[in-house]
């Protein structure tokens, strides 16, 4: 009975880590969402240079986990990795805050970007590159505590439900943190200055480290896996090279449904049941059939990854071009309050939080009737719908920008009469 009651909710470490993840998103979005305004208004960069700087920084930040995660999985335990990289994260935030605080005392003819600014930004990237993937993995590891409590007959189902619940709340936590970071910090930075605007995310990040350290006695710690992950990566690269030429000539045969296990993309099986990667790694290269199958699947995913590159370009527009576009539009609410352009990015997070329940309650049941699919629509169909909606959004954005330029040509004022709310679609 006690075990059944315990299985109904998340344990203390999971709840704590969800809160910490939300705090990290608050800190990062508090800096990243309005960074283009800081670069143009304070450091006097051109709009194109500032946008390129922000995009390069965000891209570098997104790619770093691919380099750091194998090290964390192979040689470092997750707990130590989180502590080390969150320390680098805080050092980067401290350096960024210090550059903003000393900026007013720098002579006007020396207000360009300094090396300390870029060092601080890329130190934040390095910290986040090891911190974020390790924190999420560490949170999932805490669910393994339940395996020792639950009976064998119900263990698999209960753990599956736990993981689903954990990742739902995890996503809600990071969305909430992002929402607060974008909406509050943009206002603070535009109203009270950049020193305070960067100091608050730093304080939040320091507080999250303190909370993480306070929960040490509750955590379940796992030992690193040794060099197996690196051997997997090395063997997979060799296998991909070997199969790249063959895959152009030989059509990849999907495995029989009765002989597969669902691992990714929810509906699409990626490997045969009983596939043991670590076992394949310990065999000679002549017996590397399992690695070759994985490599073939990865090669078939490349078109999807390539398609999503364009979505990443679209997704970066609100933090760069839309923010500068909004500066020239009518932003007043009442006589005194002006909407910070960066806060419009919060509309993305709000729509996610509001539409997720509607998606499960309304859209999925309707889609099941139409498609006769238990999941409503497949993952690839969802991706296609998202890309189609992105195209519609960019068409609307192009129409709004055309209208804004037309009004600005006939106006002597820097601010056009077009409302900033036209950027919401």
């Amino acid at each position: 009975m006690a075990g059944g009651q315990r299985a109904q909710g998340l344990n203390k470490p999971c709840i704590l880590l969800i809160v910490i993840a939300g705090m990290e998103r608050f800190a990062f979005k508090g800096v990243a969402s309005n960074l283009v305004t800081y670069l143009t208004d304070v450091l006097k960069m051109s709009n194109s240079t500032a946008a390129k700087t922000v995009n390069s920084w965000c891209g570098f930040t997104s790619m770093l986990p691919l380099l750091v995660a194998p090290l964390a999985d192979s040689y470092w335990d997750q707990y130590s990795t989180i502590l080390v990289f969150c320390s680098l994260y805080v050092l980067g935030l401290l350096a960024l805050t210090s550059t903003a605080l000393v900026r007013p005392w720098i002579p006007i003819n020396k207000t360009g970007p300094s090396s300390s600014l870029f060092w601080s930004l890329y130190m934040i990237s390095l910290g986040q590159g090891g911190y974020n993937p390790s924190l999420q993995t560490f949170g999932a590891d805490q669910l393994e505590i339940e395996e020792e409590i639950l009976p064998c007959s119900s263990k698999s189902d209960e753990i599956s439900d736990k993981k689903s619940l954990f990742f739902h709340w995890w996503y809600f936590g990071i969305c909430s943190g992002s929402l607060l970071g974008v909406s509050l910090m943009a206002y603070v930075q535009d109203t009270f200055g950049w020193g305070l605007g960067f100091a608050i995310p730093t304080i939040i990040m320091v507080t999250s480290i303190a909370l993480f350290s306070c929960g040490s006695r509750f955590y379940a710690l796992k030992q690193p896996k040794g060099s197996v992950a690196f051997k997997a990566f090395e063997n997979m690269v060799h296998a991909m090279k070997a199969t790249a030429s063959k895959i152009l000539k030989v059509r990849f045969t999907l495995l029989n449904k009765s002989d597969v296990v669902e691992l990714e993309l929810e509906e699409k099986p990626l490997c045969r049941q009983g596939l043991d990667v670590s076992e394949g790694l310990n065999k000679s290269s002549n017996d590397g059939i399992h690695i070759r199958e994985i490599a073939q699947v990865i090669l078939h995913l490349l078109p999807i990854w390539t398609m999503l590159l364009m979505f990443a370009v679209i997704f970066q527009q609100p933090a760069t071009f839309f923010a500068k576009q909004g500066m020239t539009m009518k932003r007043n609410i009442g006589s005194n309050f002006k909407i910070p352009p960066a806060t419009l990015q919060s509309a993305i997070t709000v729509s996610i939080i509001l539409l997720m329940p509607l998606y499960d309650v309304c859209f999925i049941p309707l889609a099941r009737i139409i498609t006769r699919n238990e999941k409503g629509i497949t993952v690839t169909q969802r991706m296609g719908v998202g890309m189609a909606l992105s195209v519609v959004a960019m068409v609307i954005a192009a129409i709004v920008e055309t209208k804004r330029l037309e009004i600005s040509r006939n106006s002597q004022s820097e601010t056009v009469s077009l409302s900033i709310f036209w950027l919401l679609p």
Side-chain angles (χ1 to χ4, degrees), residues 311 314 382-396 425:
F311 179 77
I314 296 173
R382 271 183 272 174
M383 293 167 62
V385 171
M387 292 296 292
L389 292 176
S390 299
V391 171
V392 174
M394 294 309 297
V395 169
I396 296 174

Side-chain angles (χ1 to χ4, degrees), residues 16 19-21 23-24 26-27 86 90 93 131 199-215 219:
L16 179 62
V19 173
I20 292 171
M23 296 173 73
E24 185 277 330
F26 177 94
C86 69
V90 170
L93 288 171
Y131 179 83
I200 292 176
T202 305
I203 294 171
I204 293 296
M205 197 63 200
V206 171
T207 305
S208 72
I209 297 177
L211 286 176
F212 180 78
S213 301
C214 290
Y219 300 142

Side-chain angles (χ1 to χ4, degrees), residues 18-256:
I18 289 171
V19 173
I20 292 171
M23 296 173 73
E24 185 277 330
R25 284 292 86 189
F26 177 94
F28 182 78
K29 287 295 185 180
V31 171
S33 62
N34 208 21
L35 183 60
V36 68
T37 305
Y38 178 72
L39 296 178
T40 54
D41 292 0
V42 179
L43 301 185
K44 307 304 178 183
M45 286 187 182
S46 65
N47 290 342
S48 59
T49 303
K52 184 171 72 173
T53 300
V54 172
N55 289 334
S56 300
W57 176 62
C58 290
F60 181 76
T61 304
S62 300
M63 292 296 293
L64 265 181
L66 297 177
L67 304 177
V68 179
L71 291 173
D73 289 340
S74 300
Y75 296 110
W76 308 329
D77 62 275
Q78 303 288 353
Y79 181 80
S80 301
T81 302
I82 292 170
L83 287 179
V84 170
F85 281 95
C86 69
S87 299
L88 292 175
Y89 204 143
V90 170
L91 286 176
L93 288 171
L94 285 172
L96 181 63
T97 303
S98 64
T99 59
L101 290 174
V102 301
R103 182 64 55 179
W105 286 274
I106 297 178
I108 297 177
N109 58 349
K110 296 181 179 180
T111 55
S114 62
S115 59
S116 60
L117 170 70
F118 295 108
W119 275 109
S120 61
L121 288 176
Y122 285 98
M123 190 178 293
I124 292 172
S125 298
L126 182 60
Q128 194 198 36
Y131 179 83
N132 260 0
S134 298
L135 186 67
Q136 187 168 9
T137 305
F138 188 69
D141 289 344
Q142 305 312 304
L143 297 173
E144 295 187 0
I145 300 176
E146 307 295 332
E147 294 186 6
E148 301 176 0
I149 300 173
L150 296 172
C152 294
S153 59
S154 62
K155 182 182 293 186
S156 178
D157 292 339
E158 293 290 353
I159 292 299
S160 177
D161 292 342
K162 283 274 188 180
K163 288 183 178 179
S164 177
L165 179 64
F166 170 74
F167 286 111
H168 272 87
W169 279 106
W170 181 275
Y171 198 67
F172 177 81
I174 62 176
C175 283
S176 300
S178 299
L179 175 61
L180 292 174
V182 169
S183 56
L184 294 181
M185 294 318 304
Y187 175 76
V188 171
Q189 289 159 359
D190 287 357
T191 306
F192 300 103
W194 293 96
L196 181 62
F198 290 149
I200 292 176
T202 305
I203 294 171
I204 293 296
M205 197 63 200
V206 171
T207 305
S208 72
I209 297 177
L211 286 176
F212 180 78
S213 301
C214 290
S216 299
R217 62 192 181 95
F218 298 112
Y219 300 142
L221 303 180
K222 292 182 67 176
Q223 295 299 320
K225 302 174 184 177
S227 60
V228 173
F230 274 110
K231 292 172 84 174
F233 180 75
E234 183 180 354
N235 288 350
M236 191 174 295
V237 170
H238 289 305
M240 289 177 70
K241 288 180 179 179
T243 56
S245 58
K246 293 181 180 180
I247 206 168
L248 297 176
K249 301 177 182 179
V250 182
R251 185 176 180 180
F252 179 70
T253 304
L254 289 176
L255 300 171
N256 194 306

Side-chain angles (χ1 to χ4, degrees), residues 132-424:
N132 260 0
S134 298
L135 186 67
Q136 187 168 9
T137 305
F138 188 69
D141 289 344
Q142 305 312 304
L143 297 173
E144 295 187 0
I145 300 176
E146 307 295 332
E147 294 186 6
E148 301 176 0
I149 300 173
L150 296 172
C152 294
S153 59
S154 62
K155 182 182 293 186
S156 178
D157 292 339
E158 293 290 353
I159 292 299
S160 177
D161 292 342
K162 283 274 188 180
K163 288 183 178 179
S164 177
L165 179 64
F166 170 74
F167 286 111
H168 272 87
W169 279 106
W170 181 275
Y171 198 67
F172 177 81
I174 62 176
C175 283
S176 300
S178 299
L179 175 61
L180 292 174
V182 169
S183 56
L184 294 181
M185 294 318 304
Y187 175 76
V188 171
Q189 289 159 359
D190 287 357
T191 306
F192 300 103
W194 293 96
L196 181 62
F198 290 149
I200 292 176
T202 305
I203 294 171
I204 293 296
M205 197 63 200
V206 171
T207 305
S208 72
I209 297 177
L211 286 176
F212 180 78
S213 301
C214 290
S216 299
R217 62 192 181 95
F218 298 112
Y219 300 142
L221 303 180
K222 292 182 67 176
Q223 295 299 320
K225 302 174 184 177
S227 60
V228 173
F230 274 110
K231 292 172 84 174
F233 180 75
E234 183 180 354
N235 288 350
M236 191 174 295
V237 170
H238 289 305
M240 289 177 70
K241 288 180 179 179
T243 56
S245 58
K246 293 181 180 180
I247 206 168
L248 297 176
K249 301 177 182 179
V250 182
R251 185 176 180 180
F252 179 70
T253 304
L254 289 176
L255 300 171
N256 194 306
K257 276 190 176 181
S258 62
D259 193 32
V260 298
V261 60
E262 180 181 311
L263 287 184
E264 191 58 78
L265 292 181
E266 297 185 18
E267 309 87 0
K268 287 284 187 179
L270 291 189
C271 65
R272 286 184 288 112
Q273 191 171 8
L275 176 62
D276 190 346
V277 175
S278 61
E279 181 183 349
L281 291 172
N282 294 327
K283 296 180 180 180
S284 64
S285 58
N286 294 331
D287 298 326
I289 184 65
H290 298 319
I291 298 296
R292 180 160 299 189
E293 288 176 352
I294 296 174
Q296 287 176 325
V297 171
I298 290 177
L299 287 175
H300 277 78
L301 288 175
L302 286 178
I304 297 177
W305 291 342
T306 304
M307 178 193 70
L308 292 177
L309 288 176
M310 186 51 63
F311 179 77
V313 174
I314 296 173
F315 197 73
Q316 275 299 110
Q317 296 305 305
T320 52
F321 179 70
F322 288 1
K324 294 306 299 178
Q325 189 181 22
M327 293 291 292
T328 65
M329 302 176 75
K330 185 179 179 181
R331 301 183 285 135
N332 295 74
I333 294 181
S335 56
N336 298 321
F337 182 74
K338 282 189 175 183
I339 302 172
T343 58
L344 290 185
Q345 298 172 51
S346 62
I348 299 173
T349 309
V350 170
S351 63
I352 292 173
I353 294 174
L354 294 180
L355 291 178
M356 280 181 66
L358 293 177
Y359 177 84
D360 290 332
V361 175
C362 301
F363 178 78
I364 292 298
L366 181 61
R368 283 175 184 159
I369 298 174
I370 299 174
T371 64
R372 310 278 180 154
N373 188 329
E374 183 182 353
K375 295 181 181 295
I377 59 175
T378 65
V379 173
T380 50
Q381 287 173 337
R382 271 183 272 174
M383 293 167 62
V385 171
M387 292 296 292
L389 292 176
S390 299
V391 171
V392 174
M394 294 309 297
V395 169
I396 296 174
I399 295 173
V400 171
E401 175 62 5
T402 302
K403 185 65 176 178
R404 186 189 71 86
L405 291 175
E406 180 182 336
I407 296 174
S408 65
R409 292 191 191 100
N410 301 325
S411 175
Q412 301 297 325
S413 175
E414 293 183 359
T415 303
V416 300
S417 58
L418 196 64
S419 173
I420 194 174
F421 290 108
W422 281 105
L423 296 178
L424 283 179

